[in-house]
Amino acid sequence: MKFLRLPIFLIAFFIAAAPVAADDNQLSKELVGLWMEYKPSVNLISFTGDGKVKLFLKKGEVGDLRAMHGTWTVKNGVMSATFTVNDVPISNAGKVSFENGEMLLTDGNGVVTRHRRHSGAIPEHYIW
């Protein structure tokens, strides 16, 4: 009977893990697009379906950089993004959720950033 314990454990594990993976896939699909953070600060960020992320920068915000480029993933409901600036990786993570058409990212300290989908032209202060 001991040989049955492992398969039963594995079956239970995969049954329990399946909804998390499905939720992560759904969150990832919802995340793809152009978002304007409006609270607590203002930022424009693009998430693509191939796991790339672009944070648009205002002139002088980070030296002469016009944008920060990186990668993103969602795992266990947490969105992680890693940017590389001057060969230095910068990572950020937060629980991702959606409420009334808005994206909310909650960091480890409980600080929530709120984003609305952006449509139309890129605002002028990001084009320089």
Side-chain angles (χ1 to χ4, degrees):
M1 292 303 265
K2 287 185 180 182
F3 68 92
L4 288 178
R5 288 186 190 158
L6 183 59
I8 290 171
F9 169 77
L10 289 175
I11 291 169
F13 173 79
F14 286 114
I15 289 172
V20 172
D23 289 345
D24 287 347
N25 287 337
Q26 184 59 36
L27 288 171
S28 294
K29 287 178 186 175
E30 290 182 58
L31 191 60
V32 170
L34 191 58
W35 294 90
M36 180 67 74
E37 177 188 347
Y38 70 92
K39 186 177 181 183
S41 61
V42 177
N43 288 298
L44 185 63
I45 190 163
S46 172
F47 297 92
T48 62
D50 62 353
K52 305 282 192 240
V53 61
K54 178 180 180 179
L55 176 65
F56 293 82
L57 298 171
K58 298 173 193 123
K59 189 171 187 173
E61 197 169 14
V62 180
D64 289 335
L65 285 180
R66 294 176 182 263
M68 291 173 43
H69 298 271
T71 58
W72 68 274
T73 60
V74 174
K75 185 173 181 179
N76 298 322
V78 175
M79 189 282 298
S80 299
T82 301
F83 299 92
T84 302
V85 178
N86 298 325
D87 296 324
V88 177
I90 301 169
S91 295
N92 198 350
K95 181 181 180 298
V96 64
S97 59
F98 295 89
E99 177 182 289
N100 299 321
E102 293 185 352
M103 174 183 52
L104 286 69
L105 291 174
T106 307
D107 72 12
N109 296 320
V111 176
V112 178
T113 59
R114 301 181 77 84
H115 305 75
R116 291 186 183 116
R117 282 212 183 268
H118 180 79
S119 59
I122 303 297
E124 281 188 34
H125 52 272
Y126 293 112
I127 302 172
W128 52 277

